[in-house]
Amino acid sequence: MAELETLVGTVDEVVYHNDENDYTVLSIIDKNGYLVTAVGKIAYAAEGEDVTLYGKWVKHADYGEQFAFENYERELPTGRRAMLRYLSSRVIKGVGPVTAQRIVDTYGEESFSVIEYHPEWLTSITGISAAKAAQIHESFMEQTGIRALMMFCRDFFSTTVISRIYKQWGTGAVERIKENPYRLTSEIYGIPFAVSDRFAMALGFAADAACRIEGGIRYVFEYNAATNGHTCLPRQKLVAACAEHLAVGETAITAALAHLEKNGTVVSYTFDGAEYLALDRYASAEEEIARRLVLLDKTCPAISVGDVARLIDRTEQEQGLTYAPEQRDAVYTALSGGVTILTGGPGTGKTTVVRGLLRIFDDFGLSTLVLAPTGRAANRICEAARCEAKTIHRALEMERSDEREPIFRRDEGNPLDARVVIVDECSMIDTLLMAALLRALARGTRLILIGDADQLPSVGAGRVLCDLIESAALGTVALKEIFRQSEASLIVTNAHRINRGEAPHLDVKDKDFFFLGCPEDRIPDTVADLLCRRLPRAYGEKEAAGIQIITPSRKGRAGTEQLNVLLQSVCNPPAKGKKEMKIHGSIFREGDRVMQTRNDYDIVWHKKRTEGNGVFNGEIGVLEAITEEGATVAFDDRTAEYTREQLEDLDHSYAITVHKSQGSEYPTVILPMYSCPPMLETRNLLYTAVTRACTRVILVGKREVVGRMVANNRHVMRYTTLPSRMRDAKK
């Protein structure tokens, strides 16, 4: 390989800069005074900077000779003239050409030193107030700090990640990394342990360094929480996994765990004769859930049974229906206890019970709040039960936070103003969110948890609904009877057949559940044809907006990754005037259907005359506009403004996984039936997918795949301590 050449000079002009990948074209005055062009990747370049570039000279067909650099070093400019150019470039907030001239005229070559160490001196200059001096100092420190961080981290992280590090740690970022680079994984979103590990090795950290082993243990915990849903792990499994992952002996892991237990980072818990370990935040959350639920159940006043019977009879007359015995039992249980769990599949009358309860609570003058984990789920219960509903995050008045977890204004010191709280789609609620919700419920509040225990568990760690039912510590009613009006729906019938392990009816042609058999290699084209041609032609052009492709996996011929590429090309091809951008290697264009892939509590949204923040994992919208600053995405009930950095968490949503579809309902669902790993060909995954549809289900693919999924009643095990904690709290 040819040795790299060196170009030393001063940035005369930033001719072009791509914010997405930092590709930059610079006009450089070299040490001989010649003006040359340099091209390469560099972030936050500014006029007047002194740079040393490492690369080679190339000849461009259109632009002539250029220096293509692969690496660089940079320094703040020295000398009055260079300092003036730098400050005049507006790289420092609050400083334009006029102010720059005044600063340099006053302090000369000491200008940067004054800005950094004595910003109060700037107030002697006309036009600079104390507030503006502070702004100039802060902006200067940010620029110098982020440049130092860029130089330190550039071989390991992208500009986006480095900006995230700086936002979290500020000017002390470099020192923090030098002290313990493994904090990058535990405290900064999006940095894998493997990357922190490589960085640490480059800095000279040993494989058996205490911070490496402790950081690795935390990573194994967090990985299992995020990927497998575990809130805790058996000690022996954890020790073995950490030893293998870090390639160190189990003795070293045991010693590090002892230290983490001593300082409270890791908590030990024994039940059923086995020892489990958990990170403090998950252990605390499960303990808090158990304690608060049992307390609510004990302290909520019961309502007279005679009053309940009378009110149920009157509600039946008003609504023109007769409650089934199970439904009456559900109403009695909800009124006699402080916490009630109501579970059941589609068509079993959960919403009817909710409507009746809302009527009764209103008669008693009890303020009621109806909640759901997502906006779509909240809209659904709102329409079905004819009541106002909110997302849990909105009700808890979430605030922005620089930390990984959100901050809620509603908590034990500022509880929700409601005597009754009804929460729908509880199978979606993870451990941390449930703990936050319970924290905001005042003593004596009546809580009703509604969900389908046979659906997939939450995306986040835990299996709260199933754990609470398993504990048998709270009043629980399972609705099983399918009502006559629902029996007409083959979606409902087949959903229950699947759930019982019976083959669904696939050959009925005049219902709302269809099967289209085809070879695996034809599934993608068949799905695209249904989405873009056959269904709109049969049911009208508006049909396309209500169709959702739901598939078991991201991978494979009919997985979301390949399907989204195909469906984008068919549904939203390139067009003149339609802007595009590249995000994590994929093309996104205006008009694309997109989905948020993680909770982001900072994204600002607008809804009529209100404004808020937070877009959550699984929310689906349309990419309306691409701008220099980022993009605008229209969701069901609001419009969100994304920065360039926030766009990293968007994915295409023409096709989504079953897990991402939880809590949502779509008029038409198309399910590709293709061969997947056995862990995805499961009964409850197929059941969850089918129950996302309210009007029509179309299965496309292989009949034998449907059979395998129905027969496979494998449930992915999640390690949690909640059932045991509930039983202990109940004693």
Side-chain angles (χ1 to χ4, degrees):
M1 176 181 275
E3 188 174 337
L4 295 179
E5 299 177 70
T6 302
L7 173 64
V8 179
T10 301
V11 177
D12 181 66
E13 182 184 0
V14 180
V15 179
Y16 171 79
H17 177 73
N18 185 316
D19 289 333
E20 194 169 311
N21 58 20
D22 287 326
Y23 178 79
T24 306
V25 178
L26 298 173
S27 183
I28 302 288
I29 300 175
D30 70 12
K31 60 184 179 182
N32 297 316
Y34 294 109
L35 194 64
V36 299
T37 299
V39 296
K41 293 184 178 181
I42 184 171
Y44 300 100
E47 296 174 10
E49 271 192 303
D50 293 328
V51 294
T52 301
L53 308 177
Y54 301 95
K56 58 184 179 180
W57 291 97
V58 297
K59 192 153 187 175
H60 191 280
D62 295 324
Y63 302 109
E65 194 172 47
Q66 299 176 335
F67 189 79
F69 62 91
E70 300 176 15
N71 214 332
Y72 59 85
E73 295 175 7
R74 60 203 300 181
E75 297 177 3
L76 283 172
T78 56
R80 293 170 62 101
R81 184 176 178 183
M83 285 181 169
L84 178 60
R85 283 182 59 80
Y86 179 81
L87 291 175
S88 297
S89 68
R90 300 185 186 277
V91 71
I92 304 299
K93 292 177 183 176
V95 179
V98 174
T99 303
Q101 186 70 62
R102 290 172 179 170
I103 292 173
V104 174
D105 284 347
T106 304
Y107 294 111
E109 295 188 5
E110 300 299 318
S111 295
F112 289 168
S113 179
V114 169
I115 293 172
E116 182 172 358
Y117 298 109
H118 303 287
E120 69 277 6
W121 294 1
L122 296 174
T123 57
S124 65
I125 298 173
T126 302
I128 300 181
S129 63
K132 188 172 183 178
Q135 180 191 33
I136 292 170
H137 166 76
E138 184 178 336
S139 180
F140 181 82
M141 296 305 295
E142 180 178 341
Q143 290 297 323
T144 54
I146 203 164
R147 280 175 168 76
L149 186 62
M150 287 282 181
M151 294 300 298
F152 188 63
C153 298
R154 62 186 176 183
D155 293 335
F156 296 90
F157 305 121
S158 67
T159 303
T160 298
V161 173
I162 292 172
S163 297
R164 195 178 294 145
I165 296 170
Y166 188 84
K167 181 181 178 182
Q168 187 93 351
W169 289 343
T171 55
V174 172
E175 292 307 313
R176 288 200 186 199
I177 295 170
K178 287 180 178 178
E179 180 183 320
N180 181 1
Y182 296 97
R183 292 178 65 179
L184 288 164
T185 295
S186 63
E187 298 182 29
I188 308 296
Y189 168 75
I191 300 182
F193 179 83
V195 177
S196 294
D197 202 26
R198 286 198 301 272
F199 199 177
M201 296 301 169
L203 294 175
F205 282 79
D208 61 352
C211 64
R212 178 176 187 263
I213 296 175
E214 291 184 9
I217 291 171
R218 288 184 63 97
Y219 167 74
V220 170
F221 271 123
E222 293 288 6
Y223 175 84
N224 275 279
T227 305
N228 301 319
H230 302 313
T231 61
C232 62
L233 291 167
R235 178 182 282 275
Q236 287 306 313
K237 286 184 178 289
L238 174 67
V239 170
C242 291
E244 181 180 358
H245 180 71
L246 296 171
V248 298
E250 291 190 2
T251 302
I253 302 297
T254 301
L257 277 170
H259 181 255
L260 291 171
E261 288 180 67
K262 186 176 180 180
N263 67 25
T265 302
V266 171
V267 177
S268 172
Y269 187 74
T270 301
F271 66 94
D272 294 338
E275 184 184 9
Y276 293 82
L277 298 175
L279 287 179
D280 173 62
R281 67 181 185 137
Y282 290 107
S284 297
E286 289 192 321
E287 188 279 329
E288 189 170 20
I289 290 170
R291 175 172 52 82
R292 290 184 180 276
L293 282 174
V294 170
L295 184 63
L296 284 174
D297 202 36
K298 288 179 179 178
T299 59
C300 185
I303 296 174
S304 165
V305 172
D307 288 339
V308 172
R310 176 177 55 81
L311 288 168
I312 290 178
D313 291 340
R314 196 185 73 184
T315 302
E316 287 180 329
Q317 291 177 357
E318 289 177 350
Q319 297 183 353
L321 53 81
T322 300
Y323 287 122
E326 286 178 349
Q327 292 177 308
R328 277 186 169 262
D329 185 28
V331 176
Y332 275 113
T333 303
L335 296 173
S336 60
V339 181
T340 301
I341 299 171
L342 177 61
T343 183
T348 56
K350 296 192 297 293
T351 303
T352 301
V353 172
V354 172
R355 283 202 294 261
L357 286 170
L358 289 171
R359 181 71 176 89
I360 292 171
F361 292 138
D362 184 59
D363 280 343
F364 277 104
L366 299 176
S367 55
T368 305
L369 183 61
V370 180
L371 304 177
T374 67
R376 280 178 177 261
N379 290 340
R380 191 150 60 94
I381 188 66
C382 175
E383 293 169 3
R386 297 190 286 276
C387 64
E388 183 182 354
K390 297 180 180 179
T391 64
I392 297 172
H393 290 87
R394 180 184 169 196
L396 296 181
E397 297 179 20
M398 183 193 67
E399 291 186 335
R400 300 187 187 194
S401 167
D402 290 335
E403 305 301 323
R404 284 191 167 192
E405 300 304 324
I407 294 173
F408 297 111
R409 289 180 58 192
R410 294 288 186 170
D411 55 21
E412 55 266 49
N414 182 28
L416 292 169
D417 185 19
R419 296 286 301 281
V420 180
V421 174
I422 299 174
V423 189
D424 196 25
E425 291 286 359
C426 286
S427 63
M428 296 180 64
I429 301 178
D430 62 43
T431 299
L432 298 179
L433 183 58
M434 178 59 82
L437 173 61
L438 294 176
R439 225 170 277 138
L441 300 187
R443 181 176 296 196
T445 301
R446 192 178 305 276
L447 177 64
I448 300 166
L449 303 173
I450 303 169
D452 187 343
D454 293 314
Q455 289 188 16
L456 293 172
S458 58
V459 174
R463 52 193 297 272
V464 175
L465 180 63
C466 290
D467 280 351
L468 295 179
I469 294 171
E470 180 186 319
S471 74
L474 302 169
T476 302
V477 178
L479 302 178
K480 297 177 182 177
E481 179 183 349
I482 303 175
F483 289 93
R484 190 170 301 159
Q485 64 269 28
S486 295
E487 289 177 345
S489 167
L490 198 55
I491 296 175
V492 173
T493 300
N494 276 342
H496 285 274
R497 289 182 65 86
I498 291 167
N499 204 29
R500 293 194 299 266
E502 302 170 8
H505 299 301
L506 299 181
D507 299 314
V508 179
K509 301 300 182 184
D510 60 345
K511 290 278 190 174
D512 51 10
F513 194 107
F514 305 95
F515 175 77
L516 296 179
C518 69
E520 286 204 10
D521 61 353
R522 293 296 305 159
I523 292 175
D525 290 336
T526 303
V527 168
D529 190 43
L530 283 167
L531 176 64
C532 298
R533 188 179 65 85
R534 292 171 62 179
L535 292 178
R537 187 174 64 186
Y539 301 104
E541 287 300 322
K542 290 185 179 180
E543 180 74 20
I547 300 171
Q548 183 60 60
I549 317 300
I550 301 178
T551 185
S553 176
R554 291 182 60 86
K555 304 296 183 182
R557 188 188 299 270
T560 59
E561 292 179 356
Q562 293 192 39
L563 268 182
N564 274 318
V565 173
L566 171 65
L567 296 173
Q568 182 198 39
S569 68
V570 175
C571 299
N572 190 32
K576 186 177 181 181
K578 189 180 290 185
K579 294 181 181 177
E580 297 182 352
M581 67 190 308
K582 186 174 282 189
I583 306 173
H584 44 69
S586 298
I587 296 295
F588 285 73
R589 65 177 61 98
E590 292 172 341
D592 274 342
R593 292 179 65 176
V594 293
M595 176 177 61
Q596 180 73 12
T597 60
R598 78 170 182 102
N599 291 346
D600 191 320
Y601 305 99
D602 290 334
I603 297 173
V604 176
W605 53 259
H606 307 274
K607 179 182 178 181
K608 295 181 181 177
R609 296 182 180 179
T610 62
E611 180 178 298
N613 55 280
V615 178
F616 306 109
N617 190 357
E619 292 201 60
I620 289 176
V622 175
L623 185 58
E624 280 196 333
I626 294 172
T627 65
E628 290 295 325
E629 294 75 26
T632 301
V633 178
F635 293 98
D636 285 341
D637 58 347
R638 66 204 196 286
T639 300
E641 303 295 335
Y642 281 70
T643 65
R644 289 267 175 173
E645 181 180 348
Q646 290 165 338
L647 288 169
E648 292 290 322
D649 296 314
L650 281 183
D651 208 345
H652 289 108
S653 67
Y654 297 98
I656 63 175
T657 63
V658 179
H659 286 83
K660 292 291 187 182
S661 74
Q662 286 177 268
S664 297
E665 193 172 77
Y666 310 94
T668 299
V669 168
I670 300 175
L671 304 176
M673 292 285 99
Y674 65 104
S675 298
C676 294
M679 66 190 316
L680 294 175
E681 286 189 353
T682 65
R683 183 184 302 171
N684 71 330
L685 189 140
L686 179 59
Y687 172 77
T688 301
V690 167
T691 55
R692 298 308 90 207
C694 57
T695 303
R696 190 177 301 107
V697 170
I698 304 173
L699 273 55
V700 179
K702 300 173 67 176
R703 190 180 293 261
E704 55 265 37
V705 172
V706 180
R708 287 201 301 267
M709 295 183 81
V710 172
N712 183 3
N713 198 28
R714 176 180 183 270
H715 288 262
V716 177
M717 185 187 66
R718 290 189 170 189
Y719 290 114
T720 69
T721 66
L722 187 55
S724 178
R725 290 182 187 273
M726 285 296 300
R727 289 189 287 266
D728 289 347
K730 191 73 172 178
K731 291 177 182 177

